[in-house]
Amino acid sequence: MRARFPEPTATSSTAMARTLLASIFLLLWSGLVAALTSTLVQVPSIPNNPTNVGVFVYTPTTVVEKPPVIIAIHYCGGTADAYFTGSPYALYADYYGFIVMYPSSPNADLCWDVSSVATLTHNGGGDSFGIASMVAYAIANYNADPTRVYVTGTSSGAMMTNVMCAVYPELFAAASVYSGVPAGCFMSNFGGVDAWNSSCAEGQVSQTSAQWAAQVRAMFPGYTGTYPPIQEYHGTADTTLFPENFVEEIKEWAGIFGYDADAPTQVIENDPLPGYNKSIYGPSLQGILAQGVGHTVPIQGDQDMIWFGFEAPGTTGVAEFGQCGGIGYTGSTFCMPPYFCEVLNDFFSQCLTMS
Ligand SMILES: *[C@@H]1O[C@H](CO)[C@@H](O)[C@H](O)[C@H]1NC(C)=O
Ligand SMILES: *[C@@H]1O[C@H](CO)[C@@H](O)[C@H](O)[C@H]1NC(C)=O
């Protein structure tokens, strides 16, 4: 398996790896905030949050009656606010009428604890418990639809997304993972909380599907329900979380779902972007490997919406360059993501990409 990837140069130290995690994130959506219908709000405190995970919520001006919820988990060195502005989910929330909740790391390095026994144990505490409690809070306070809660994240947030699916599978209807490691792969051998694990990061941890599945099931002993369908994205040129982690993530979830990690039922080339291969292992698992892409794979918002069961973007609203406003105009004023309605003059507003 290892030979499939160009051998990246190992980052020489933990500090360097952390710096890389913190810095290499493209703010593709930086024009987003000004165009939104609402703002990011902090929830002062929620029950069952032992590590004091910061809780932030974006509620669009108009939400559907029983709104779905997306939990969007930031990368190392990030914050709820950084991921709010650095990811497209709030924009999609305006479009579809769902709620986005952004946890904010309580740890000094602003990474997530995916290494402690507590965080890797159902109702055991740790950051994962605080994030799980955000879901309960949303259901109790925002009348959220408990059958339509989704989880996604980038880098450290991607690691945590895998952890949430393993430790709290009953909460989520689907998940999307951008450049992470398998749940349990960062498990610390010295009981470390939010500890870095170089052997996992550098792709030296390899287990069989059966071993990974047993490790996942041990995080929630006695659970007999289903696990959330999951999409795993990874770049072949990732030198922070080596692409071997992609293979291990696929093995992990294939083991859970009873699929063959070596035999996808279908491979679609150049999907969703040129150079990306989408491998479908069964209805609950897809792996998207991006040729030449480093850490991290850019969020594919449209793909996430489809994976999360929303009507495909582009089927309603105004397309790029279409009119979305102006004196005398009576058509739709909503642009299909990722386009924004920009006022060009009193008589003409047009759906354009962000400048
Ligand atoms: C890193 O994780 C692996 C399991 O994935 C474990 O065997 C190893 O001991 C861990 N290393 C440290 C330093 O905790
Ligand atoms: C995608 O599949 C094609 C055909 O098998 C292969 O040549 C290419 O290397 C694959 N790319 C990735 C990123 O796996």
Side-chain angles (χ1 to χ4, degrees):
M1 279 298 184
R2 296 206 57 165
R4 284 175 50 198
F5 305 108
E7 211 47 64
T9 317
T11 48
S12 59
S13 71
T14 295
M16 191 183 217
R18 285 173 189 270
T19 308
L20 278 166
L21 279 175
S23 62
I24 305 177
F25 194 80
L26 294 174
L27 290 181
L28 292 172
W29 304 94
S30 51
L32 174 140
V33 175
L36 292 172
T37 64
S38 188
T39 55
L40 187 68
V41 171
Q42 182 165 21
V43 180
S45 81
I46 65 167
N48 300 316
N49 185 10
T51 64
N52 279 314
V53 170
V55 177
F56 292 75
V57 60
Y58 179 76
T59 309
T61 303
T62 307
V63 292
V64 297
E65 198 182 343
K66 243 180 167 249
V69 176
I70 292 181
I71 306 286
I73 312 177
H74 66 71
Y75 44 91
C76 239
T79 58
D81 190 58
Y83 209 48
F84 166 66
T85 56
S87 69
Y89 299 110
L91 175 65
Y92 286 100
D94 276 356
Y95 186 66
Y96 290 105
F98 59 74
I99 288 169
V100 192
M101 294 191 85
Y102 303 86
S104 218
S105 168
N107 305 304
D109 59 2
L110 303 178
C111 301
W112 294 102
D113 172 23
V114 288
S115 65
S116 73
V117 173
T119 207
L120 295 173
T121 304
H122 185 74
N123 289 344
D127 295 348
S128 68
F129 190 41
I131 296 173
S133 299
M134 290 171 62
V135 175
Y137 185 85
I139 293 165
N141 293 275
Y142 308 139
N143 192 33
D145 183 349
T147 68
R148 294 206 65 191
V149 180
Y150 307 98
V151 59
T152 186
T154 294
S155 188
S156 182
M159 300 187 203
M160 183 54 105
T161 300
N162 278 319
V163 166
M164 293 309 297
C165 291
V167 181
Y168 297 95
E170 80 283 14
L171 297 182
F172 301 104
S176 177
V177 177
Y178 290 94
S179 309
V181 303
C185 193
F186 256 49
M187 167 113 64
S188 172
N189 62 14
F190 56 93
V193 174
D194 182 26
W196 188 255
N197 186 309
S198 309
S199 49
C200 177
E202 291 168 18
Q204 286 145 18
V205 175
S206 179
Q207 299 197 85
T208 65
S209 270
Q211 287 169 330
W212 280 122
Q215 192 174 354
V216 166
R217 291 190 194 286
M219 296 176 194
F220 189 177
Y223 179 68
T224 54
T226 56
Y227 284 79
I230 194 161
Q231 271 190 333
E232 303 281 353
Y233 287 84
H234 218 103
T236 63
D238 192 331
T239 55
T240 303
L241 301 175
F242 286 25
E244 283 78 1
N245 280 298
F246 174 76
V247 177
E248 300 304 314
E249 288 171 322
I250 295 300
K251 283 199 271 179
E252 179 168 77
W253 294 110
I256 286 291
F257 294 120
Y259 304 149
D260 184 344
D262 293 323
T265 58
Q266 197 186 358
V267 180
I268 308 170
E269 282 181 63
N270 303 312
D271 183 21
L273 292 176
Y276 288 41
N277 285 1
K278 178 185 284 179
S279 298
I280 301 171
Y281 296 88
S284 295
L285 178 62
Q286 298 187 352
I288 300 98
L289 189 59
Q291 186 61 48
V293 174
H295 195 68
T296 55
V297 175
I299 294 169
Q300 304 297 308
D302 282 10
Q303 297 297 313
D304 289 344
M305 293 307 109
I306 295 165
W307 185 245
F308 295 164
F310 294 95
E311 186 186 0
T315 45
T316 56
V318 181
E320 187 178 17
F321 304 133
Q323 187 173 3
C324 53
I327 294 170
Y329 173 75
T330 55
S332 171
T333 57
F334 205 94
C335 299
M336 294 186 300
Y339 307 113
F340 287 98
C341 191
E342 221 167 277
V343 178
L344 298 185
N345 57 52
D346 288 352
F347 297 93
F348 199 76
S349 299
Q350 192 177 27
C351 292
L352 298 169
T353 45
M354 278 170 298
S355 39

